[in-house]
Amino acid sequence: MKIQPKTLLTSAAGFLVAVAAWQLVATGPMAGGPLPTVTSVAVNLAAVVVTEAFWTSLATTVGIALLGLLTSAVAGIALGILVGSFEPFRYATVAVLEFLKPIPPIVILPLVVLVLGPTGQMSWFLVFLGCLLPIIMQTVDGVHDADPVARDTARSYGLKEPEILLRVVLPSAMPFIGTAIRVAAPGALIITVVAGLLGGGPGLGQSIYQAQAGGDYPTLYALVIVLGVLGMFFQGATSAVERRMLHWHESFREAAHR
Amino acid sequence: MKTIFSTSRTSSAATAAQPGKNAMTEEIAPADTTSAPPRLDVSHLAKTYGMGDKARTVIEDLTFTVDAGEVVCIVGPSGVGKTTLLKCLAGLHPSSSGRAAIDGRTISGPPPEMALVFQDYNRSLMPWLTVRKNLMLPLRHLHLSAAELKERCDDALAAVGLSHAEHQYPWQLSGGMQQRVAIARALAYRPEILIMDEPFASVDAQTRFDLEDLCLKIRRDFNMTILVVTHDIDEAVYLADRVVVLGSKPARVLRIVDVDLPAPRDQITTRSLPEFARQRTDVLSLIKRPA
Ligand SMILES: Nc1ncnc2c1ncn2[C@@H]1O[C@H](COP(=O)(O)OP(=O)(O)OP(=O)(O)O)[C@@H](O)[C@H]1O
Ligand SMILES: [Mg+2]
């Protein structure tokens, strides 16, 4: 997975064009409006990143998003394996899961704020809930995808059901779980920020809200840019972890040995 | 090694004696207490897949036995039900009627003293584990010492000529190498009864001869009881003390051919005996005959 210099150049060119377009719009048609120029955002960004408050709020956001993702992964994988392996569990949960699937976690934000207040726990809980469902669903699919020959092999060697689930079914389901976590990762970040914006939870969301309330648009956009960069890192990091853990899987084999 | 084998058997007997536990085998009082029951006893075994309209009887009525330390080969046309039979013997699915027993105990779940080498060898290896870790997977619950674990894996890998591949992943190996990994995994388990489903189908001729001789050697060294499904009539006659010929649909035993070739067998001298040619012609004519 080596990035070609040519690809890199094209990406950089695309990015520069986008920035140039922004600057043009901000200085031309929308001059004087709420859209700040690239230069003023850059100046504010430089000013913001030297403050301690910024780093605290960044760390809080990353911490909540990661913790939410991690806890929902642990719970989601465990539940997914139960639901996927045992018929009664499946029938008991299928209606609830299908009902909850299309509901975005933001819908229950007011309720969660009411119970937990504008706290880190509130943000974490929303992230946890938001990531949980897709991880359960994908784990169930992964469990069903486990090769019956591999299971029979383990069974014929006298492995008991819990050991088969842990050592054969779980690794078989890992490609599905990996995809679910990679897809959920940016979502975790978004939910953390929205929980701060709308629910008053700590972190970048709250900082953005304060900038907005104070009419400080350049800072607002500086924070939005930070968020974009953070999202890219999040995505990159989860992809890298996935690639490392699933190096044995068909879709990563060449990558691991090139 | 003997100690390990006997421990695993006592533990299985203990499980069987406990009511309520998921017993692997059920004690059945042998009718004739004077002579030991055969190691493996298949009597009137039948297997039907599915139920109702979709029911398909694959095995009609199979009866044969395998004595301790014997090598028995099963031959028969493709689709006759050989794999189905082995899965019944390995306790992976229940038979529809009749019975299969080890030492007189009816098989009702995977017997701890048995190892099965699957026909789908590539699907039976775990792609996320290296060759060595694949070998170790079935050994975990035996609670062996680290030294014994290492010794068993080293020996098994050396036996199939794959010591150099221990840190590779199965998918980095050729089909024939993967097949040998699956065999090595069974050897490392050190079963008392080894069952193999077309185990040498993907290896080259020379390796095939080596593995056949390995099979005879482990029988000699450990008095292992070995049951091999094969498509190759020559291989069946070379390996076996007896050849069970399956045929017709649903499957029946067409005949059990006693192979009385002198031991020890040798790839060149045994195969050039007139007796060898006669035996293989016997088996071949049974298979060739339209069902
Ligand atoms: N799970 C199953 N459900 C229904 N039918 C099955 C199942 N497994 C096998 N069969 C059928 O049973 C028959 C015997 O299959 P089996 O795999 O035992 O044959 P085989 O003798 O091992 O063949 P081969 O030599 O090609 O491996 C086939 O007709 C197959 O379609
Ligand atoms: Mg078969």
Side-chain angles (χ1 to χ4, degrees):
Chain A
M1 266 287 283
K2 246 188 152 160
I3 298 166
Q4 302 286 317
K6 209 168 148 190
T7 336
L8 206 63
L9 255 148
T10 321
S11 304
F15 179 73
L16 285 178
V17 169
V19 171
W22 174 9
Q23 179 73 355
L24 271 176
V25 171
T27 49
M30 290 192 68
L35 184 67
T37 60
V38 176
T39 38
S40 69
V41 169
V43 169
N44 264 278
L45 186 60
V48 161
V49 297
V50 294
T51 63
E52 207 186 301
F54 165 76
W55 289 106
T56 318
S57 111
L58 183 73
T60 308
T61 295
V62 172
I64 290 171
L66 275 182
L67 190 70
L69 192 60
L70 216 71
T71 45
S72 69
V74 172
I77 292 169
L79 283 171
I81 286 186
L82 282 182
V83 173
S85 310
F86 302 106
E87 293 268 291
F89 264 103
R90 184 146 118 245
Y91 296 129
T93 51
V94 69
V96 179
L97 290 179
E98 289 297 331
F99 172 77
L100 289 177
K101 206 161 63 172
I103 300 177
I106 299 308
V107 171
I108 58 158
L109 183 136
L111 183 72
V112 180
V113 174
L114 215 62
V115 177
L116 294 172
T119 57
Q121 281 103 299
M122 179 273 295
S123 306
W124 162 80
F125 186 74
L126 283 175
V127 175
F128 173 78
L129 265 189
C131 299
L132 188 64
L133 264 140
I135 293 178
I136 293 179
M137 294 307 209
Q138 284 289 305
T139 308
V140 171
D141 285 351
V143 168
H144 291 161
D145 192 60
D147 194 326
V149 177
R151 297 178 83 138
D152 274 353
T153 303
R155 222 149 66 77
S156 77
Y157 280 112
L159 273 73
K160 297 283 172 283
E161 198 58 27
E163 201 177 1
I164 294 177
L165 288 182
L166 183 72
R167 301 202 184 282
V168 178
V169 175
L170 178 62
S172 301
M174 265 335 262
F176 287 75
I177 297 168
T179 307
I181 293 179
R182 176 165 46 78
V183 172
L189 200 60
I190 292 169
I191 297 172
T192 312
V193 172
V194 172
L197 258 175
L198 305 181
L204 283 176
Q206 204 179 43
S207 310
I208 290 174
Y209 175 77
Q210 281 158 1
Q212 189 190 14
D216 185 359
Y217 289 106
T219 305
L220 170 73
Y221 283 91
L223 289 173
V224 169
I225 285 178
V226 168
L227 211 54
V229 173
L230 195 59
M232 279 164 67
F233 270 113
F234 235 64
Q235 185 76 79
T238 40
S239 293
V241 170
E242 185 191 17
R243 203 159 46 236
R244 236 193 124 82
M245 285 190 66
L246 294 173
H247 68 97
W248 53 269
H249 190 251
E250 281 147 23
S251 49
F252 296 108
R253 277 177 199 173
E254 278 86 2
H257 294 276
R258 206 169 265 170
Chain B
M1 184 174 331
K2 277 272 178 275
T3 15
I4 288 132
F5 287 162
S6 46
T7 352
S8 73
R9 285 183 59 194
T10 15
S11 74
S12 85
T15 338
Q18 279 179 329
K21 283 248 169 161
N22 186 8
M24 289 292 173
T25 45
E26 296 152 24
E27 291 290 354
I28 300 246
D32 177 8
T33 41
T34 49
S35 74
R39 201 79 238 259
L40 200 60
D41 184 3
V42 180
S43 62
H44 304 293
L45 188 92
K47 176 70 188 174
T48 302
Y49 282 115
M51 280 190 248
D53 297 345
K54 286 188 225 127
R56 245 191 98 211
T57 299
V58 175
I59 296 175
E60 174 104 88
D61 182 352
L62 292 188
T63 300
F64 66 92
T65 59
V66 184
D67 291 327
E70 217 181 4
V71 177
V72 169
C73 285
I74 296 175
V75 298
S78 181
V80 78
K82 303 182 294 293
T83 300
T84 303
L85 166 67
L86 294 197
K87 284 187 176 164
C88 287
L89 296 183
L92 291 173
H93 55 206
S95 50
S96 308
S97 70
R99 163 175 120 106
I102 293 178
D103 300 330
R105 289 170 288 125
T106 300
I107 298 169
S108 60
E113 59 269 76
M114 184 191 281
L116 171 63
V117 176
F118 284 73
Q119 184 172 14
D120 295 322
Y121 53 89
N122 51 351
R123 288 170 61 196
S124 94
L125 296 171
M126 312 298 155
W128 55 87
L129 297 177
T130 61
V131 167
R132 175 174 279 271
K133 290 199 169 140
N134 262 289
L135 261 61
M136 277 164 45
L137 181 69
L139 306 181
R140 303 187 77 101
H141 64 278
L142 301 183
H143 304 296
L144 307 171
S145 69
E148 163 131 39
L149 208 59
K150 179 173 161 25
E151 187 202 307
R152 283 197 185 194
C153 293
D154 289 347
D155 287 358
L157 284 171
V160 299
L162 281 179
S163 301
H164 62 282
E166 60 171 336
H167 297 304
Q168 285 184 283
Y169 288 88
W171 40 271
Q172 294 173 314
L173 306 177
S174 71
M177 289 165 90
Q178 290 175 20
Q179 199 155 34
R180 283 185 281 153
V181 175
I183 295 169
R185 182 171 57 189
L187 295 181
Y189 191 68
R190 300 201 179 157
E192 295 171 37
I193 302 171
L194 176 62
I195 297 189
M196 300 194 277
D197 199 349
E198 296 184 29
F200 314 137
S202 300
V203 299
D204 61 85
Q206 179 55 49
T207 310
R208 188 174 190 129
F209 287 161
D210 291 346
L211 289 175
E212 286 168 9
D213 288 336
L214 174 69
C215 185
L216 294 175
K217 181 174 163 1
I218 55 173
R219 185 268 293 267
R220 242 188 351 261
D221 292 355
F222 303 123
N223 196 37
M224 211 182 267
T225 307
I226 301 175
L227 188 63
V228 184
V229 163
T230 176
H231 271 151
D232 185 336
I233 311 292
D234 287 45
E235 177 170 278
V237 172
Y238 177 74
L239 279 178
D241 299 315
R242 284 185 297 145
V243 178
V244 177
V245 185
L246 300 186
S248 90
K249 269 188 182 183
R252 289 188 298 108
V253 175
L254 292 187
R255 195 188 302 168
I256 298 175
V257 179
D258 284 307
V259 181
D260 29 41
L261 294 169
R265 297 190 186 170
D266 175 88
Q267 292 287 358
I268 293 168
T269 55
T270 303
R271 283 177 194 263
S272 53
L273 292 172
E275 189 60 14
F276 183 89
R278 199 185 56 71
Q279 297 264 13
R280 74 175 288 276
T281 312
D282 267 7
V283 176
L284 195 59
S285 57
L286 279 169
I287 292 212
K288 279 275 184 187
R289 193 199 300 152

